[in-house]
Amino acid sequence: MNVLVIHGPNLNALGSREPHIYGSLTLEEIDARIAREALGLGIRVTSVQHSSEGAIVDEFHAAVGSYDGIVLNPAAYTHYAYALRDAIAAVDLPTVEVHLSNPHAREEFRARSVVAAVCRGSIAGFGVESYVLALRALAALHRG
Ligand code: DQA
């Protein structure tokens, strides 16, 4: 099984970015935790980070035929990015929306996800474990 992990904008700054909200792990450390979990699950995982919505849209289209599932932290795009929403809907790949924080416990604008309805499911609020749980969910789906 091949899984693509996509981190959205500002997640490259994890570690120093609002650690009281997002924790103190860097993106590199998060990717290492994801890779370790993937190894245990027998998943081949690739992680990328993009700041622009277009680059994330391109990843979705390019993933067809190469990946069996996608773990996506859309970051702020979660709340308003319709082109990203349409890209998820356009490709037939199970996508799990993840968030480190619980957006519902924060500012009002974060309570709305424009991508949730086209994702297979959403996991939020567990820090790096949100990604780990998403991988496990995709592995279980794949096993059938
Ligand atoms: C986030 C939550 C978003 O609201 C925010 O814009 C982010 C990170 C999270 O992982 O908790 O950049 O997706």
Side-chain angles (χ1 to χ4, degrees), residues 66-88:
S66 303
Y67 291 97
D68 305 297
I70 297 185
V71 173
L72 171 68
N73 185 343
Y77 289 136
T78 306
H79 313 300
Y80 67 94
Y82 295 112
L84 175 56
R85 183 244 178 251
D86 284 354
I88 300 167

Side-chain angles (χ1 to χ4, degrees), residues 1-127:
M1 181 184 195
N2 292 311
V3 169
L4 178 63
V5 177
I6 304 175
H7 305 284
N10 299 307
L11 298 174
N12 52 311
L14 288 173
S16 59
R17 177 193 181 199
E18 300 182 276
H20 57 291
I21 295 171
Y22 298 115
S24 56
L25 294 183
T26 64
L27 189 58
E28 210 177 17
E29 289 166 336
I30 286 177
D31 280 338
R33 174 75 184 92
I34 291 169
R36 187 152 46 87
E37 186 67 22
L39 197 66
L41 290 166
I43 292 174
R44 270 189 301 272
V45 77
T46 304
S47 294
V48 295
Q49 188 273 331
H50 293 295
S51 301
S52 72
E53 182 181 3
I56 301 175
V57 167
D58 289 343
E59 288 285 357
F60 269 87
H61 291 284
V64 177
S66 303
Y67 291 97
D68 305 297
I70 297 185
V71 173
L72 171 68
N73 185 343
Y77 289 136
T78 306
H79 313 300
Y80 67 94
Y82 295 112
L84 175 56
R85 183 244 178 251
D86 284 354
I88 300 167
V91 307
D92 192 21
L93 288 171
T95 298
V96 181
E97 173 190 6
V98 306
H99 300 284
L100 294 156
S101 68
N102 176 0
H104 297 281
R106 301 178 59 195
E107 300 95 326
E108 207 177 309
F109 77 88
R110 295 187 203 274
R112 176 164 181 254
S113 168
V114 301
V115 303
V118 290
C119 287
R120 186 65 173 71
S122 305
I123 301 169
F126 300 102

